[in-house]
PDB file of all heavy atoms in Angstrom:
ATOM      1  N   PHE A 261     -33.831 137.773  23.108  1.00  0.00           N
ATOM      2  CA  PHE A 261     -34.190 138.764  24.114  1.00  0.00           C
ATOM      3  C   PHE A 261     -35.681 139.105  24.020  1.00  0.00           C
ATOM      4  O   PHE A 261     -36.392 139.169  25.027  1.00  0.00           O
ATOM      5  CB  PHE A 261     -33.337 140.015  23.895  1.00  0.00           C
ATOM      6  CG  PHE A 261     -33.284 140.953  25.060  1.00  0.00           C
ATOM      7  CD1 PHE A 261     -32.685 140.572  26.247  1.00  0.00           C
ATOM      8  CD2 PHE A 261     -33.815 142.223  24.967  1.00  0.00           C
ATOM      9  CE1 PHE A 261     -32.624 141.440  27.324  1.00  0.00           C
ATOM     10  CE2 PHE A 261     -33.770 143.103  26.031  1.00  0.00           C
ATOM     11  CZ  PHE A 261     -33.167 142.709  27.224  1.00  0.00           C
ATOM     12  N   ILE A 262     -36.162 139.316  22.791  1.00  0.00           N
ATOM     13  CA  ILE A 262     -37.560 139.677  22.571  1.00  0.00           C
ATOM     14  C   ILE A 262     -38.480 138.516  22.940  1.00  0.00           C
ATOM     15  O   ILE A 262     -39.517 138.701  23.586  1.00  0.00           O
ATOM     16  CB  ILE A 262     -37.776 140.089  21.102  1.00  0.00           C
ATOM     17  CG1 ILE A 262     -36.972 141.361  20.796  1.00  0.00           C
ATOM     18  CG2 ILE A 262     -39.250 140.295  20.801  1.00  0.00           C
ATOM     19  CD1 ILE A 262     -36.946 141.728  19.326  1.00  0.00           C
ATOM     20  N   GLU A 263     -38.099 137.309  22.535  1.00  0.00           N
ATOM     21  CA  GLU A 263     -38.938 136.152  22.815  1.00  0.00           C
ATOM     22  C   GLU A 263     -39.002 135.861  24.311  1.00  0.00           C
ATOM     23  O   GLU A 263     -40.049 135.464  24.835  1.00  0.00           O
ATOM     24  CB  GLU A 263     -38.419 134.943  22.038  1.00  0.00           C
ATOM     25  CG  GLU A 263     -38.645 135.088  20.526  1.00  0.00           C
ATOM     26  CD  GLU A 263     -38.017 133.969  19.719  1.00  0.00           C
ATOM     27  OE1 GLU A 263     -37.492 133.025  20.341  1.00  0.00           O
ATOM     28  OE2 GLU A 263     -38.062 134.039  18.482  1.00  0.00           O
ATOM     29  N   LEU A 264     -37.881 136.087  25.013  1.00  0.00           N
ATOM     30  CA  LEU A 264     -37.881 135.891  26.465  1.00  0.00           C
ATOM     31  C   LEU A 264     -38.831 136.882  27.138  1.00  0.00           C
ATOM     32  O   LEU A 264     -39.573 136.527  28.057  1.00  0.00           O
ATOM     33  CB  LEU A 264     -36.472 136.063  27.027  1.00  0.00           C
ATOM     34  CG  LEU A 264     -36.333 135.962  28.551  1.00  0.00           C
ATOM     35  CD1 LEU A 264     -36.814 134.603  29.032  1.00  0.00           C
ATOM     36  CD2 LEU A 264     -34.896 136.216  28.982  1.00  0.00           C
ATOM     37  N   ALA A 265     -38.818 138.130  26.650  1.00  0.00           N
ATOM     38  CA  ALA A 265     -39.725 139.129  27.202  1.00  0.00           C
ATOM     39  C   ALA A 265     -41.170 138.695  27.009  1.00  0.00           C
ATOM     40  O   ALA A 265     -42.010 138.847  27.908  1.00  0.00           O
ATOM     41  CB  ALA A 265     -39.482 140.483  26.537  1.00  0.00           C
ATOM     42  N   GLY A 266     -41.479 138.164  25.819  1.00  0.00           N
ATOM     43  CA  GLY A 266     -42.830 137.682  25.560  1.00  0.00           C
ATOM     44  C   GLY A 266     -43.222 136.569  26.515  1.00  0.00           C
ATOM     45  O   GLY A 266     -44.357 136.522  27.001  1.00  0.00           O
ATOM     46  N   GLU A 267     -42.277 135.667  26.792  1.00  0.00           N
ATOM     47  CA  GLU A 267     -42.555 134.558  27.704  1.00  0.00           C
ATOM     48  C   GLU A 267     -42.850 135.052  29.113  1.00  0.00           C
ATOM     49  O   GLU A 267     -43.766 134.564  29.781  1.00  0.00           O
ATOM     50  CB  GLU A 267     -41.361 133.601  27.732  1.00  0.00           C
ATOM     51  CG  GLU A 267     -41.142 132.835  26.434  1.00  0.00           C
ATOM     52  CD  GLU A 267     -39.871 132.010  26.461  1.00  0.00           C
ATOM     53  OE1 GLU A 267     -39.293 131.857  27.568  1.00  0.00           O
ATOM     54  OE2 GLU A 267     -39.439 131.537  25.402  1.00  0.00           O
ATOM     55  N   ILE A 268     -42.078 136.041  29.560  1.00  0.00           N
ATOM     56  CA  ILE A 268     -42.286 136.575  30.907  1.00  0.00           C
ATOM     57  C   ILE A 268     -43.644 137.244  31.021  1.00  0.00           C
ATOM     58  O   ILE A 268     -44.394 137.019  31.982  1.00  0.00           O
ATOM     59  CB  ILE A 268     -41.166 137.578  31.269  1.00  0.00           C
ATOM     60  CG1 ILE A 268     -39.826 136.836  31.397  1.00  0.00           C
ATOM     61  CG2 ILE A 268     -41.496 138.326  32.559  1.00  0.00           C
ATOM     62  CD1 ILE A 268     -38.629 137.750  31.521  1.00  0.00           C
ATOM     63  N   ASN A 269     -43.992 138.055  30.026  1.00  0.00           N
ATOM     64  CA  ASN A 269     -45.284 138.744  30.078  1.00  0.00           C
ATOM     65  C   ASN A 269     -46.453 137.769  30.018  1.00  0.00           C
ATOM     66  O   ASN A 269     -47.490 137.992  30.662  1.00  0.00           O
ATOM     67  CB  ASN A 269     -45.376 139.765  28.941  1.00  0.00           C
ATOM     68  CG  ASN A 269     -44.470 140.962  29.168  1.00  0.00           C
ATOM     69  OD1 ASN A 269     -44.193 141.332  30.306  1.00  0.00           O
ATOM     70  ND2 ASN A 269     -44.019 141.582  28.083  1.00  0.00           N
ATOM     71  N   LEU A 270     -46.281 136.685  29.264  1.00  0.00           N
ATOM     72  CA  LEU A 270     -47.343 135.682  29.195  1.00  0.00           C
ATOM     73  C   LEU A 270     -47.508 134.916  30.508  1.00  0.00           C
ATOM     74  O   LEU A 270     -48.570 134.340  30.775  1.00  0.00           O
ATOM     75  CB  LEU A 270     -47.059 134.697  28.056  1.00  0.00           C
ATOM     76  CG  LEU A 270     -47.254 135.229  26.627  1.00  0.00           C
ATOM     77  CD1 LEU A 270     -46.765 134.213  25.607  1.00  0.00           C
ATOM     78  CD2 LEU A 270     -48.719 135.577  26.366  1.00  0.00           C
ATOM     79  N   ARG A 271     -46.461 134.916  31.329  1.00  0.00           N
ATOM     80  CA  ARG A 271     -46.514 134.220  32.623  1.00  0.00           C
ATOM     81  C   ARG A 271     -47.319 134.981  33.663  1.00  0.00           C
ATOM     82  O   ARG A 271     -47.800 134.401  34.647  1.00  0.00           O
ATOM     83  CB  ARG A 271     -45.094 134.012  33.176  1.00  0.00           C
ATOM     84  CG  ARG A 271     -44.302 132.893  32.530  1.00  0.00           C
ATOM     85  CD  ARG A 271     -42.870 132.865  33.069  1.00  0.00           C
ATOM     86  NE  ARG A 271     -42.805 132.746  34.527  1.00  0.00           N
ATOM     87  CZ  ARG A 271     -41.685 132.898  35.230  1.00  0.00           C
ATOM     88  NH1 ARG A 271     -40.560 133.214  34.621  1.00  0.00           N
ATOM     89  NH2 ARG A 271     -41.701 132.756  36.545  1.00  0.00           N
ATOM     90  N   MET A 272     -47.461 136.280  33.482  1.00  0.00           N
ATOM     91  CA  MET A 272     -48.006 137.106  34.552  1.00  0.00           C
ATOM     92  C   MET A 272     -49.439 136.770  34.965  1.00  0.00           C
ATOM     93  O   MET A 272     -49.760 136.790  36.162  1.00  0.00           O
ATOM     94  CB  MET A 272     -47.876 138.586  34.197  1.00  0.00           C
ATOM     95  CG  MET A 272     -46.437 139.069  34.116  1.00  0.00           C
ATOM     96  SD  MET A 272     -45.446 138.663  35.583  1.00  0.00           S
ATOM     97  CE  MET A 272     -46.216 139.700  36.831  1.00  0.00           C
ATOM     98  N   PRO A 273     -50.359 136.448  34.034  1.00  0.00           N
ATOM     99  CA  PRO A 273     -51.693 136.029  34.505  1.00  0.00           C
ATOM    100  C   PRO A 273     -51.626 134.804  35.411  1.00  0.00           C
ATOM    101  O   PRO A 273     -52.383 134.691  36.385  1.00  0.00           O
ATOM    102  CB  PRO A 273     -52.444 135.735  33.208  1.00  0.00           C
ATOM    103  CG  PRO A 273     -51.752 136.560  32.169  1.00  0.00           C
ATOM    104  CD  PRO A 273     -50.309 136.547  32.561  1.00  0.00           C
ATOM    105  N   TYR A 274     -50.713 133.882  35.094  1.00  0.00           N
ATOM    106  CA  TYR A 274     -50.538 132.693  35.933  1.00  0.00           C
ATOM    107  C   TYR A 274     -50.026 133.083  37.315  1.00  0.00           C
ATOM    108  O   TYR A 274     -50.430 132.503  38.329  1.00  0.00           O
ATOM    109  CB  TYR A 274     -49.570 131.718  35.267  1.00  0.00           C
ATOM    110  CG  TYR A 274     -50.075 131.125  33.974  1.00  0.00           C
ATOM    111  CD1 TYR A 274     -49.889 131.781  32.760  1.00  0.00           C
ATOM    112  CD2 TYR A 274     -50.749 129.906  33.963  1.00  0.00           C
ATOM    113  CE1 TYR A 274     -50.362 131.245  31.582  1.00  0.00           C
ATOM    114  CE2 TYR A 274     -51.220 129.343  32.780  1.00  0.00           C
ATOM    115  CZ  TYR A 274     -51.028 130.033  31.588  1.00  0.00           C
ATOM    116  OH  TYR A 274     -51.494 129.489  30.418  1.00  0.00           O
ATOM    117  N   PHE A 275     -49.131 134.073  37.350  1.00  0.00           N
ATOM    118  CA  PHE A 275     -48.598 134.545  38.622  1.00  0.00           C
ATOM    119  C   PHE A 275     -49.695 135.185  39.471  1.00  0.00           C
ATOM    120  O   PHE A 275     -49.755 134.986  40.687  1.00  0.00           O
ATOM    121  CB  PHE A 275     -47.463 135.539  38.366  1.00  0.00           C
ATOM    122  CG  PHE A 275     -46.891 136.150  39.621  1.00  0.00           C
ATOM    123  CD1 PHE A 275     -46.279 135.359  40.583  1.00  0.00           C
ATOM    124  CD2 PHE A 275     -46.974 137.516  39.836  1.00  0.00           C
ATOM    125  CE1 PHE A 275     -45.755 135.915  41.743  1.00  0.00           C
ATOM    126  CE2 PHE A 275     -46.440 138.082  40.986  1.00  0.00           C
ATOM    127  CZ  PHE A 275     -45.840 137.285  41.945  1.00  0.00           C
ATOM    128  N   VAL A 276     -50.567 135.965  38.834  1.00  0.00           N
ATOM    129  CA  VAL A 276     -51.677 136.585  39.562  1.00  0.00           C
ATOM    130  C   VAL A 276     -52.567 135.510  40.178  1.00  0.00           C
ATOM    131  O   VAL A 276     -52.975 135.600  41.349  1.00  0.00           O
ATOM    132  CB  VAL A 276     -52.493 137.515  38.640  1.00  0.00           C
ATOM    133  CG1 VAL A 276     -53.777 137.971  39.333  1.00  0.00           C
ATOM    134  CG2 VAL A 276     -51.667 138.722  38.222  1.00  0.00           C
ATOM    135  N   VAL A 277     -52.879 134.486  39.406  1.00  0.00           N
ATOM    136  CA  VAL A 277     -53.708 133.395  39.925  1.00  0.00           C
ATOM    137  C   VAL A 277     -52.989 132.682  41.064  1.00  0.00           C
ATOM    138  O   VAL A 277     -53.613 132.281  42.064  1.00  0.00           O
ATOM    139  CB  VAL A 277     -54.074 132.412  38.791  1.00  0.00           C
ATOM    140  CG1 VAL A 277     -54.769 131.165  39.347  1.00  0.00           C
ATOM    141  CG2 VAL A 277     -54.971 133.107  37.776  1.00  0.00           C
ATOM    142  N   ASP A 278     -51.677 132.537  40.949  1.00  0.00           N
ATOM    143  CA  ASP A 278     -50.896 131.925  42.029  1.00  0.00           C
ATOM    144  C   ASP A 278     -50.982 132.772  43.302  1.00  0.00           C
ATOM    145  O   ASP A 278     -51.108 132.231  44.414  1.00  0.00           O
ATOM    146  CB  ASP A 278     -49.440 131.771  41.590  1.00  0.00           C
ATOM    147  CG  ASP A 278     -48.579 131.130  42.667  1.00  0.00           C
ATOM    148  OD1 ASP A 278     -48.880 129.987  43.069  1.00  0.00           O
ATOM    149  OD2 ASP A 278     -47.603 131.778  43.107  1.00  0.00           O
ATOM    150  N   LYS A 279     -50.920 134.107  43.143  1.00  0.00           N
ATOM    151  CA  LYS A 279     -51.053 134.991  44.304  1.00  0.00           C
ATOM    152  C   LYS A 279     -52.428 134.833  44.948  1.00  0.00           C
ATOM    153  O   LYS A 279     -52.547 134.823  46.179  1.00  0.00           O
ATOM    154  CB  LYS A 279     -50.852 136.446  43.875  1.00  0.00           C
ATOM    155  CG  LYS A 279     -49.454 136.801  43.429  1.00  0.00           C
ATOM    156  CD  LYS A 279     -48.483 136.962  44.592  1.00  0.00           C
ATOM    157  CE  LYS A 279     -48.657 138.277  45.306  1.00  0.00           C
ATOM    158  NZ  LYS A 279     -47.539 138.539  46.252  1.00  0.00           N
ATOM    159  N   VAL A 280     -53.464 134.716  44.123  1.00  0.00           N
ATOM    160  CA  VAL A 280     -54.812 134.506  44.644  1.00  0.00           C
ATOM    161  C   VAL A 280     -54.885 133.181  45.410  1.00  0.00           C
ATOM    162  O   VAL A 280     -55.425 133.109  46.520  1.00  0.00           O
ATOM    163  CB  VAL A 280     -55.845 134.516  43.502  1.00  0.00           C
ATOM    164  CG1 VAL A 280     -57.231 134.107  44.017  1.00  0.00           C
ATOM    165  CG2 VAL A 280     -55.916 135.893  42.852  1.00  0.00           C
ATOM    166  N   THR A 281     -54.309 132.144  44.822  1.00  0.00           N
ATOM    167  CA  THR A 281     -54.330 130.818  45.453  1.00  0.00           C
ATOM    168  C   THR A 281     -53.656 130.844  46.809  1.00  0.00           C
ATOM    169  O   THR A 281     -54.194 130.339  47.813  1.00  0.00           O
ATOM    170  CB  THR A 281     -53.641 129.789  44.539  1.00  0.00           C
ATOM    171  OG1 THR A 281     -54.300 129.761  43.275  1.00  0.00           O
ATOM    172  CG2 THR A 281     -53.666 128.404  45.171  1.00  0.00           C
ATOM    173  N   ARG A 282     -52.465 131.457  46.864  1.00  0.00           N
ATOM    174  CA  ARG A 282     -51.720 131.498  48.127  1.00  0.00           C
ATOM    175  C   ARG A 282     -52.436 132.360  49.171  1.00  0.00           C
ATOM    176  O   ARG A 282     -52.466 132.033  50.364  1.00  0.00           O
ATOM    177  CB  ARG A 282     -50.307 132.026  47.888  1.00  0.00           C
ATOM    178  CG  ARG A 282     -49.373 130.979  47.247  1.00  0.00           C
ATOM    179  CD  ARG A 282     -47.961 131.490  47.155  1.00  0.00           C
ATOM    180  NE  ARG A 282     -47.771 132.380  46.008  1.00  0.00           N
ATOM    181  CZ  ARG A 282     -46.933 133.399  45.992  1.00  0.00           C
ATOM    182  NH1 ARG A 282     -46.249 133.727  47.072  1.00  0.00           N
ATOM    183  NH2 ARG A 282     -46.797 134.127  44.905  1.00  0.00           N
ATOM    184  N   ALA A 283     -53.005 133.473  48.718  1.00  0.00           N
ATOM    185  CA  ALA A 283     -53.710 134.357  49.654  1.00  0.00           C
ATOM    186  C   ALA A 283     -54.928 133.659  50.248  1.00  0.00           C
ATOM    187  O   ALA A 283     -55.230 133.808  51.444  1.00  0.00           O
ATOM    188  CB  ALA A 283     -54.127 135.633  48.936  1.00  0.00           C
ATOM    189  N   MET A 284     -55.631 132.890  49.409  1.00  0.00           N
ATOM    190  CA  MET A 284     -56.812 132.179  49.913  1.00  0.00           C
ATOM    191  C   MET A 284     -56.409 130.994  50.785  1.00  0.00           C
ATOM    192  O   MET A 284     -57.070 130.703  51.790  1.00  0.00           O
ATOM    193  CB  MET A 284     -57.680 131.737  48.741  1.00  0.00           C
ATOM    194  CG  MET A 284     -58.322 132.919  48.018  1.00  0.00           C
ATOM    195  SD  MET A 284     -59.503 132.447  46.747  1.00  0.00           S
ATOM    196  CE  MET A 284     -60.766 131.643  47.718  1.00  0.00           C
ATOM    197  N   ASN A 285     -55.333 130.322  50.417  1.00  0.00           N
ATOM    198  CA  ASN A 285     -54.846 129.223  51.255  1.00  0.00           C
ATOM    199  C   ASN A 285     -54.501 129.714  52.652  1.00  0.00           C
ATOM    200  O   ASN A 285     -54.745 129.026  53.649  1.00  0.00           O
ATOM    201  CB  ASN A 285     -53.614 128.576  50.620  1.00  0.00           C
ATOM    202  CG  ASN A 285     -53.968 127.617  49.504  1.00  0.00           C
ATOM    203  OD1 ASN A 285     -55.115 127.196  49.387  1.00  0.00           O
ATOM    204  ND2 ASN A 285     -52.987 127.264  48.684  1.00  0.00           N
ATOM    205  N   ALA A 286     -53.927 130.914  52.718  1.00  0.00           N
ATOM    206  CA  ALA A 286     -53.562 131.472  54.024  1.00  0.00           C
ATOM    207  C   ALA A 286     -54.786 131.725  54.881  1.00  0.00           C
ATOM    208  O   ALA A 286     -54.691 131.822  56.116  1.00  0.00           O
ATOM    209  CB  ALA A 286     -52.776 132.774  53.827  1.00  0.00           C
ATOM    210  N   ARG A 287     -55.935 131.820  54.229  1.00  0.00           N
ATOM    211  CA  ARG A 287     -57.209 132.023  54.938  1.00  0.00           C
ATOM    212  C   ARG A 287     -58.032 130.741  54.964  1.00  0.00           C
ATOM    213  O   ARG A 287     -59.232 130.772  55.213  1.00  0.00           O
ATOM    214  CB  ARG A 287     -57.982 133.163  54.273  1.00  0.00           C
ATOM    215  CG  ARG A 287     -57.337 134.524  54.539  1.00  0.00           C
ATOM    216  CD  ARG A 287     -57.730 135.572  53.528  1.00  0.00           C
ATOM    217  NE  ARG A 287     -57.163 136.872  53.869  1.00  0.00           N
ATOM    218  CZ  ARG A 287     -55.896 137.230  53.654  1.00  0.00           C
ATOM    219  NH1 ARG A 287     -55.045 136.362  53.106  1.00  0.00           N
ATOM    220  NH2 ARG A 287     -55.463 138.433  54.007  1.00  0.00           N
ATOM    221  N   LYS A 288     -57.354 129.630  54.679  1.00  0.00           N
ATOM    222  CA  LYS A 288     -57.957 128.294  54.728  1.00  0.00           C
ATOM    223  C   LYS A 288     -59.158 128.167  53.779  1.00  0.00           C
ATOM    224  O   LYS A 288     -60.188 127.578  54.103  1.00  0.00           O
ATOM    225  CB  LYS A 288     -58.367 127.921  56.165  1.00  0.00           C
ATOM    226  CG  LYS A 288     -57.220 127.959  57.158  1.00  0.00           C
ATOM    227  CD  LYS A 288     -57.639 127.431  58.504  1.00  0.00           C
ATOM    228  CE  LYS A 288     -56.543 127.595  59.542  1.00  0.00           C
ATOM    229  NZ  LYS A 288     -55.213 127.202  59.100  1.00  0.00           N
ATOM    230  N   LYS A 289     -59.012 128.746  52.582  1.00  0.00           N
ATOM    231  CA  LYS A 289     -60.035 128.650  51.556  1.00  0.00           C
ATOM    232  C   LYS A 289     -59.430 128.079  50.280  1.00  0.00           C
ATOM    233  O   LYS A 289     -58.279 128.356  49.958  1.00  0.00           O
ATOM    234  CB  LYS A 289     -60.661 130.019  51.267  1.00  0.00           C
ATOM    235  CG  LYS A 289     -61.588 130.527  52.362  1.00  0.00           C
ATOM    236  CD  LYS A 289     -62.230 131.836  51.969  1.00  0.00           C
ATOM    237  CE  LYS A 289     -63.244 132.282  53.014  1.00  0.00           C
ATOM    238  NZ  LYS A 289     -64.436 131.390  53.041  1.00  0.00           N
ATOM    239  N   ALA A 290     -60.234 127.316  49.539  1.00  0.00           N
ATOM    240  CA  ALA A 290     -59.783 126.737  48.276  1.00  0.00           C
ATOM    241  C   ALA A 290     -60.328 127.558  47.115  1.00  0.00           C
ATOM    242  O   ALA A 290     -61.386 128.177  47.210  1.00  0.00           O
ATOM    243  CB  ALA A 290     -60.263 125.297  48.156  1.00  0.00           C
TER     244      ALA A 290
END
């Protein structure tokens, strides 16, 4: 349970970058 929580929290910076990527793609920017 604890290790899974650590994995999820470590994923969040990647998720933020993914949100940035998708938001910029929607505006036709790389």
Side-chain angles (χ1 to χ4, degrees):
F261 197 66
I262 296 171
E263 291 174 5
L264 177 59
E267 292 174 12
I268 293 170
N269 289 331
L270 287 173
R271 283 175 56 190
M272 294 308 292
Y274 294 86
F275 177 62
V276 170
V277 172
D278 180 60
K279 292 284 283 191
V280 172
T281 302
R282 284 186 280 148
M284 292 187 64
N285 281 344
R287 289 159 176 78
K288 302 187 186 314
K289 287 183 175 291

